[in-house]
Amino acid sequence: MAENKQSYTSMKKIFFALSLLSSNGIGGSLLYAQTDTLLVRDMDEIVVVSTAKEHTSLRNQPLSSTSLSGDQLQSRKIDGIKDLSAHIPGLFIPTYGSRLTSSVYLRGVGSRMGTPAIGMYVDDIPLANMSAMDQDLSDADRIDVLRGPQGTLYGRNTIGGLIRVYTKNPMNYQGTDLFLGAASYHNIRARVTHYHRPTDKVAFSAGVSYEHLGGFYKNEALGGKRVDWGDDLAARWRGIYRPSERVRLDLSLRYQWTKQGGYPYAAQSGPDAGHVAYNRESSYLRNQLSAGLKAEHDLDNIVLSSITGFQFLRDDMFMDQDFSRADLYSLQQKQLSKVVSEEIALRSKTDRRWQWTSGINFQYQWLRTDAPVTFYHEGVDWLSSLINRSLPDLTAQGLGPMSVTLKNTILPMGGRFQTPSLNAGFFHQSSYRLTDRLTASLGVRFNYEHSRMDYNAPGSVDFDFALQGSNPRNSVYLYDLNAVPSFLGQTSKDNFHCLPKAALQYDLGRTGNLYLAVSRGLRSGGYNPQMFSDLLQQEMSVKMMQSIDAGTEAYLTNLFAGMPVPPGHVDMIMGRIRSGMPAVQSPDVNSEAYYKPETAWNYELGSHLNLFDGRLKADLAAFWIETRNLQLSQMSESGMGRITVNADQSRSLGMEASLQAALTSALLLNAAYGYTHATLRHSGTEEHQSDYFVPFAPQHTLSLGAQYTWHTRGWLQHITLGAGTRGNGKIYWTRENDICQDFYALLDARLTVQHEGLQLSLWGNNLTQTRYDAFSFVTRGQIYSQRGTPLQIGLDLRVKL
């Protein structure tokens, strides 16, 4: 009892010190303090644990992690998850496409589409869709990145890691923040957020932001119009209510409207090499709303928490899918998603040898997707040529060549797809202090998932058929034939997975800790709606062959009616024709459209060190990941849309290191490096004897930075000069490793002057004008790429009222 009372008194003193810092404006942006959560001392800093599942700070846990404070996010100009790339060891989030595209890769594990491989939470509310991850995070006060599978505590789709975003807490940060920014290429940003605490029990924040992107690249086929422009409007509200010392309610609402132009993909060869040139204007429109309610109740020895989330997303993407001046085909994808989630967790509170966390979670998602591929006149001609090349030439049999002429001027292929999914799980994790320095952790999650797809993909093709024989009797001319390829049905899958975790951690005292951990992660399987354009093409060939067969037999029967021909003459001719027709079978939707869940075992050895009296922090880790059914995104065989497929397995070996050093009170240094050797495991072929590298996973990520601050007695109280470099590579873009981006580095710099609540910053990114590809792919035998962001200069003004 005396020990507990002394611990409680110490915690009150720590909280009182934090309150003084916050009230004097010293620690507002540095500390993420909450008056009703557990405070722990993490070596040389005070860290507030705000999650419902953890007992201590990240650097005191047996996992590889990086936390960036609000000051660090601001000095490195990180306003969204794509800006985190390379600042976190091993993390690669390329900036290409639209906000629909959030390709996140970590430790050689990642995804371009489908289900996420790296999870994301905003104020403890999970984001279910990759389409929702790229959002305005300008009000973030801290971002945590947890590397390696986090499935035991956080469930599916965290197989590569987890990104947690925390916004400023109005309970201990008040005032009004104003921001205005302008940059080259006609980029404009504005934001205002007010934080208010009218009583000791109630606090809220409200803000709006707007961003306009003028675009870096022009579409030569549309008269030089900027192609990658964008407008973004966001609003957010957060309210915290503490009716008593034991109860806390935290409600957050976020809305974002996004409208963007097309995709600056340029061919690498041909007459338009290096230039964006496609004939149909492309666009992306998104509306998304997220709401979350977090409730906590202190029950003396345990903390009960409930986290309820709701997300709504409606978007519309139109893409000139051939990316050329030719009018071949386009893709329009519309999504309507609604997600409801609930998690209830219990966490032990007392500082004893045994600490534990248990909970259950539930999530249901409604998802409707419309994804038609539309062929235009040149695309219809192209399809005709593909079909005719597959038809046999029966001249040697006296029947002559065959030909098909499609009569549709516009030919849509696709349909409407409902893909609801249900996920439920139970988890438990315990940590037991074996000795004063050695702690063992064991955990497990049992996860169940049900996924279903209702598909309705109709089609209709009008065509003529000709078989020119050696004489009129051997010739067939069929007009106004019709084939109706369609898919209508339902398919579903059930999956059950066990996600264990075990770790040992040795406490080095003030120096830090060492740990050894093994864990299993899961990425959900799913369905490929964009696959149906290919399936419809296959089915179209089947229906066309059936229509040709029936029409030809009827034509010949009618032609030879009443003629003195041998018995079975029609059957003989039809036998010759059928023997030469291509063997085409109706595709199996269940096997063609579904991709399996991805699982991985992660083995990790690491350390968190605090050296030279807190002047140097070092986080080191080495990992080995074995992945089965690795999910890869690739262009479909026809080139009309991207699909997700499974590789057999992959292996990822690597290491991570991050350093933060304070050489003096004015000079700060930071470095982050990640090495990843991620390969697709196979036996090799004569053409390629070694294993292929996992596409999109850079072998090296590097970030170096330095910041020096002059503290003056004049009107300008602080002058800060910072510079840094970010590097990634080598990156292979395809499964076959036939195109790649070598290692590249970008130089950034920033000059900031500050007077009381007024701050002005002049910044520049990619000052060396390094040319690199942010993304590349192959379709119809042509390589297309999006160039990385060029040199950009900007000016930011911040005012604290």
Side-chain angles (χ1 to χ4, degrees):
M1 290 293 293
E3 180 181 355
N4 290 340
K5 183 176 181 180
Q6 182 179 2
S7 175
Y8 176 72
T9 303
S10 299
M11 289 174 60
K12 287 179 65 179
K13 291 180 178 178
I14 294 173
F15 171 68
F16 179 71
L18 287 174
S19 300
L20 289 177
L21 288 174
S22 177
S23 63
N24 285 281
I26 299 176
S29 61
L30 177 63
L31 299 176
Y32 184 87
Q34 294 185 5
T35 57
D36 58 340
T37 51
L38 178 64
L39 301 176
V40 294
R41 183 177 297 276
D42 181 15
M43 301 174 188
D44 63 324
E45 64 180 349
I46 298 175
V47 175
V48 178
V49 177
S50 60
T51 69
K53 306 172 186 177
E54 300 172 355
H55 298 84
T56 184
S57 66
L58 285 176
R59 297 189 79 239
N60 284 331
Q61 297 181 37
L63 57 86
S64 180
S65 64
T66 299
S67 293
L68 297 177
S69 67
D71 288 343
Q72 291 172 318
L73 295 173
Q74 180 179 321
S75 64
R76 303 182 192 186
K77 198 166 178 56
I78 297 174
D79 298 314
I81 63 168
K82 290 183 177 179
D83 300 325
L84 288 170
S85 189
H87 289 292
I88 307 298
L91 180 66
F92 178 60
I93 314 176
T95 301
Y96 74 94
S98 66
R99 287 191 183 271
L100 170 69
T101 308
S102 298
S103 302
V104 187
Y105 279 76
L106 187 57
R107 290 188 170 182
V109 179
S111 59
R112 285 173 52 198
M113 57 177 295
T115 52
I118 285 82
M120 183 172 174
Y121 282 60
V122 178
D123 288 331
D124 292 325
I125 308 301
L127 300 182
N129 297 317
M130 290 180 62
S131 304
M133 288 186 175
D134 188 6
Q135 58 178 267
D136 175 55
L137 299 177
S138 55
D139 59 339
D141 190 50
R142 190 182 87 232
I143 295 181
D144 301 333
V145 180
L146 288 61
R147 296 182 286 274
Q150 305 299 320
T152 303
L153 288 182
Y154 293 94
R156 60 173 189 162
N157 301 337
T158 59
I159 189 171
L162 179 70
I163 299 174
R164 302 190 312 205
V165 180
Y166 295 98
T167 62
K168 292 178 181 177
N169 187 337
M171 273 290 180
N172 51 20
Y173 182 89
Q174 288 86 44
T176 301
D177 290 345
L178 300 176
F179 173 85
L180 292 174
S184 52
Y185 294 96
H186 305 287
N187 289 6
I188 300 173
R189 296 183 61 206
R191 181 178 72 249
V192 57
T193 308
H194 180 68
Y195 304 86
H196 190 56
R197 184 178 179 178
T199 70
D200 291 339
K201 296 183 177 182
V202 177
F204 70 89
S205 63
V208 294
S209 63
Y210 172 74
E211 181 178 14
H212 172 74
L213 303 176
F216 299 107
Y217 303 101
K218 298 178 180 180
N219 188 335
E220 302 296 336
L222 295 177
K225 182 178 180 180
R226 293 285 178 179
V227 62
D228 54 332
W229 59 271
D231 288 293
D232 190 275
L233 179 64
R236 49 203 167 273
W237 184 90
R238 182 181 180 188
I240 300 176
Y241 176 52
R242 294 185 54 214
S244 68
E245 291 295 328
R246 292 178 175 267
V247 178
R248 176 177 176 270
L249 301 176
D250 190 339
L251 175 65
S252 59
L253 301 170
R254 302 177 72 90
Y255 170 77
Q256 189 166 10
W257 173 87
T258 300
K259 187 175 182 180
Q260 294 179 282
Y263 311 88
Y265 302 151
Q268 290 193 4
S269 61
D272 289 313
H275 298 282
V276 180
Y278 51 83
N279 64 298
R280 289 187 177 266
E281 188 171 356
S282 301
S283 62
Y284 179 64
L285 177 65
R286 182 182 74 178
N287 286 273
Q288 71 169 18
L289 171 70
S290 60
L293 175 62
K294 179 180 178 181
E296 287 185 346
H297 191 182
D298 188 337
L299 300 173
D300 292 331
N301 293 327
I302 61 174
V303 176
L304 170 65
S305 64
S306 168
I307 299 176
T308 306
F310 172 76
Q311 294 162 49
F312 171 89
L313 183 143
R314 183 195 297 271
D315 67 2
D316 184 352
M317 177 189 68
F318 180 84
M319 180 185 294
D320 188 333
Q321 191 71 16
D322 58 80
F323 311 111
S324 67
R325 295 178 185 269
D327 203 17
L328 294 177
Y329 48 83
S330 66
L331 168 68
Q332 183 168 22
Q333 176 180 287
K334 296 181 180 181
Q335 294 184 114
L336 176 61
S337 171
K338 291 175 283 186
V339 183
V340 175
S341 62
E342 174 63 36
E343 180 175 89
I344 298 175
L346 290 171
R347 170 170 57 89
S348 63
K349 183 182 174 184
T350 55
D351 184 17
R352 297 177 178 175
R353 285 186 175 271
W354 178 39
Q355 294 182 334
W356 55 268
T357 299
S358 293
I360 57 174
N361 78 286
F362 163 88
Q363 185 182 89
Y364 190 84
Q365 174 174 274
W366 297 266
L367 178 59
R368 187 187 75 197
T369 304
D370 298 310
V373 173
T374 302
F375 292 87
Y376 303 103
H377 67 284
E378 292 182 69
V380 172
D381 293 342
W382 176 65
L383 275 181
S384 295
S385 65
L386 290 179
I387 295 171
N388 286 323
R389 283 199 296 268
S390 69
L391 294 176
D393 186 351
L394 303 180
T395 304
Q397 304 181 35
L399 295 177
M402 301 180 183
S403 64
V404 166
T405 303
L406 300 183
K407 301 176 65 176
N408 302 69
T409 56
I410 295 180
L411 181 59
M413 288 189 177
R416 172 164 291 186
F417 310 93
Q418 306 274 358
T419 52
S421 63
L422 169 67
N423 180 74
F426 165 78
F427 62 90
H428 176 85
Q429 181 168 298
S430 289
S431 297
Y432 188 79
R433 196 165 63 246
L434 302 175
T435 68
D436 289 341
R437 291 185 178 270
L438 185 63
T439 301
S441 299
L442 290 173
V444 67
R445 174 184 287 263
F446 299 101
N447 195 85
Y448 166 76
E449 185 170 27
H450 173 80
S451 57
R452 191 182 83 230
M453 180 172 66
D454 301 321
Y455 52 90
N456 182 8
S460 179
V461 182
D462 299 321
F463 65 100
D464 297 335
F465 172 76
L467 188 155
Q468 298 180 6
S470 57
N471 58 69
R473 290 189 177 186
N474 293 336
S475 298
V476 178
Y477 298 96
L478 304 176
Y479 301 99
D480 300 326
L481 296 180
N482 178 253
V484 185
S486 64
F487 294 96
L488 177 64
Q490 182 185 103
T491 180
S492 63
K493 294 286 185 179
D494 293 278
N495 289 286
F496 179 83
H497 291 273
C498 177
L499 306 177
K501 178 180 180 179
L504 284 174
Q505 179 173 289
Y506 186 78
D507 187 3
L508 300 174
R510 294 179 59 87
T511 304
N513 55 66
L514 299 169
Y515 68 88
L516 177 67
V518 57
S519 57
R520 188 171 189 257
L522 168 68
R523 182 183 175 197
S524 300
Y527 296 95
N528 284 309
Q530 291 188 14
M531 169 70 79
F532 275 81
S533 60
D534 282 11
L535 300 183
L536 279 170
Q537 287 186 61
Q538 298 179 41
E539 186 69 4
M540 181 182 72
S541 298
V542 172
K543 297 299 184 182
M544 289 179 67
M545 295 304 106
Q546 293 175 353
S547 182
I548 290 172
D549 185 283
T552 302
E553 185 171 10
Y555 178 89
L556 294 175
T557 301
N558 182 65
L559 177 66
F560 294 120
M563 291 186 181
V565 296
H569 184 69
V570 173
D571 293 338
M572 179 191 66
I573 298 176
M574 289 302 301
R576 293 179 183 177
I577 295 174
R578 287 166 180 160
S579 65
M581 297 292 283
V584 184
Q585 296 182 347
S586 295
D588 180 8
V589 173
N590 291 341
S591 61
E592 295 280 353
Y594 181 74
Y595 53 90
K596 300 176 183 178
E598 174 185 324
T599 58
W601 281 99
N602 177 82
Y603 308 92
E604 183 174 327
L605 174 66
S607 177
H608 303 289
L609 300 176
N610 190 47
L611 306 173
F612 304 110
D613 294 326
R615 291 185 177 273
L616 175 64
K617 290 183 182 179
D619 297 290
L620 310 172
F623 60 86
W624 179 351
I625 303 177
E626 294 286 340
T627 304
R628 290 192 175 274
N629 294 319
L630 178 72
Q631 295 175 15
L632 295 174
S633 177
Q634 65 185 39
M635 297 296 293
S636 62
E637 292 184 4
S638 65
M640 289 166 287
R642 296 182 178 90
I643 59 173
T644 299
V645 299
N646 292 108
D648 291 335
Q649 58 182 337
S650 71
R651 173 175 295 168
S652 183
L653 304 173
M655 58 84 62
E656 300 156 347
S658 61
L659 304 173
Q660 296 183 57
L663 299 186
T664 68
S665 60
L667 179 59
L668 305 178
L669 303 177
N670 65 81
Y673 172 72
Y675 170 72
T676 303
H677 184 85
T679 54
L680 300 172
R681 309 295 294 167
H682 65 94
S683 58
T685 64
E686 293 182 0
E687 296 180 355
H688 197 134
Q689 295 293 331
S690 62
D691 296 329
Y692 290 100
F693 288 96
V694 174
F696 261 70
Q699 297 176 14
H700 305 272
T701 63
L702 175 66
S703 174
L704 300 172
Q707 178 177 295
Y708 190 88
T709 301
W710 291 269
H711 302 283
T712 69
R713 297 180 179 275
W715 189 80
L716 295 180
Q717 298 170 326
H718 309 287
I719 302 174
T720 302
L721 177 62
T725 184
R726 299 166 287 132
N728 296 287
K730 189 175 191 176
I731 307 166
Y732 290 95
W733 299 116
T734 63
R735 182 175 183 172
E736 295 77 19
N737 289 182
D738 48 3
I739 56 175
C740 66
Q741 168 63 56
D742 291 328
F743 182 85
Y744 64 91
L746 310 178
L747 177 63
D748 306 328
R750 187 181 187 91
L751 175 64
T752 301
V753 295
Q754 183 173 346
H755 171 75
E756 296 183 350
L758 180 67
Q759 184 184 92
L760 186 65
S761 299
L762 174 65
W763 56 268
N765 289 341
N766 193 6
L767 295 176
T768 56
Q769 301 192 60
T770 301
R771 290 175 60 87
Y772 65 99
D773 288 336
F775 173 55
S776 288
F777 61 96
V778 180
T779 180
R780 297 183 296 110
Q782 175 66 278
I783 300 175
Y784 289 89
S785 300
Q786 176 175 335
R787 286 290 185 185
T789 305
L791 167 66
Q792 191 175 25
I793 304 295
L795 189 66
D796 293 344
L797 173 66
R798 286 180 168 84
V799 181
K800 171 66 183 296
L801 301 177

